[in-house]
Amino acid sequence: EVQVVESGGNLVQPGGSLRLSCAVSGFTLSNYWMNWVRQAPGKGLECVATINEAGSDKFYVDSVKGRFSISRDSAKNSLYLQMNSLRVEDTAVYYCGRDLFDYWGQGTLVTVSS
Amino acid sequence: QAGLTQPPSMSKDLRQTATLTCTGNSHNVGNQGALWLQQHQGHPPKLLSYRNDSRPSGISERFSASRSGNTASLTITGLQPEDEADYYCSVWDSSLSGWVFGGGTKLTVL
């Protein structure tokens, strides 16, 4: 059974940093592209970062370029999102989604506020 | 970054048919297979359709997708109360090198 579990969300001040984790089981992480998708309160979905199977290609939405970094550790079957220089507008539920979004976790809430 | 255009809301009667649209351009919908997601309040999205017309296992045949030019469509037949949800389209944009999403359509089943 495929499982995806995000963690690491928290309340952080503007300018602060957080590292989100996504632990997967039931499939081999190194065989799939992976994505981080966020949803601000009452708003739609936005894919903020994508990484290919090998971890060699990474893609970011313009609003997070230079601040967020996606990475993966196949040995630990985990995906990560390092978020620096956080802004109020980064407040959202962050989801980890596999490949063509066929599996999602329950999400982890990031709140950026002073 | 430019997203996809979806009507923000739609209301249909029980057991009727709803067709949701998603308009993009030649770099995304016109070039790649769109996928459709359903999201109920307080839950993560669920994949309904990918590569324009393929359904994951377990998804009802009442959901079908298609594409014409730069517009993708999701048709839901025999509407049920549980179909009331937000529906999002998404596609890989080759010019942006990233996934783009529509703003979502909130479907109300009357």
Side-chain angles (χ1 to χ4, degrees):
Chain A
E1 180 192 4
V2 171
Q3 288 195 326
V4 176
V5 180
E6 302 94 338
S7 61
N10 210 333
L11 170 65
V12 62
Q13 291 189 337
S17 297
L18 273 180
R19 188 195 196 207
L20 305 183
S21 299
C22 170
V24 308
S25 60
F27 68 96
T28 303
L29 187 66
S30 58
N31 289 344
Y32 292 88
W33 287 53
M34 295 294 295
N35 310 281
W36 284 101
V37 176
R38 68 184 178 186
Q39 187 168 34
K43 301 297 184 182
L45 302 170
E46 179 182 48
C47 184
V48 297
T50 297
I51 188 169
N52 70 345
E53 303 99 320
S56 56
D57 293 328
K58 303 174 183 181
F59 308 91
Y60 301 93
V61 70
D62 283 348
S63 59
V64 308
K65 282 179 181 175
R67 301 189 300 123
F68 289 13
S69 178
I70 187 172
S71 62
R72 61 198 300 160
D73 185 335
S74 295
K76 294 183 178 180
N77 256 3
S78 291
L79 179 75
Y80 304 101
L81 185 68
Q82 177 65 43
M83 304 187 295
N84 300 328
S85 302
L86 281 162
R87 304 168 180 168
V88 170
E89 54 266 32
D90 294 320
T91 294
V93 173
Y94 284 74
Y95 295 102
C96 172
R98 187 179 84 164
D99 198 17
L100 297 181
F101 302 115
D102 55 350
Y103 287 98
W104 298 68
Q106 291 298 311
T108 187
L109 177 63
V110 173
T111 303
V112 185
S113 174
S114 54
Chain B
Q1 288 172 235
L4 308 174
T5 301
Q6 296 183 251
S9 64
M10 176 180 290
S11 297
K12 289 287 184 179
D13 290 328
L14 195 64
R15 294 183 294 277
Q16 294 303 301
T17 295
T19 299
L20 287 66
T21 59
C22 168
T23 302
N25 57 44
S26 59
H27 297 294
N28 45 57
V29 175
N31 184 44
Q32 303 280 338
L35 55 88
W36 288 90
L37 300 155
Q38 176 192 62
Q39 186 179 34
H40 288 105
Q41 182 72 27
H43 292 271
K46 180 170 78 172
L47 182 66
L48 296 177
S49 173
Y50 61 100
R51 294 205 175 105
N52 284 326
D53 60 357
S54 298
R55 268 191 312 273
S57 62
I59 299 300
S60 170
E61 291 179 352
R62 297 189 298 107
F63 295 92
S64 63
S66 62
R67 180 187 66 165
S68 177
N70 295 335
T71 298
S73 299
L74 177 72
T75 298
I76 312 170
T77 59
L79 282 168
Q80 300 296 309
E82 60 266 29
D83 297 331
E84 188 162 291
D86 294 322
Y87 291 83
Y88 295 93
C89 60
S90 183
V91 64
W92 183 265
D93 190 299
S94 57
S95 66
L96 299 174
S97 292
W99 288 100
V100 290
F101 283 85
T105 296
K106 184 176 184 62
L107 176 63
T108 300
V109 179
L110 303 172

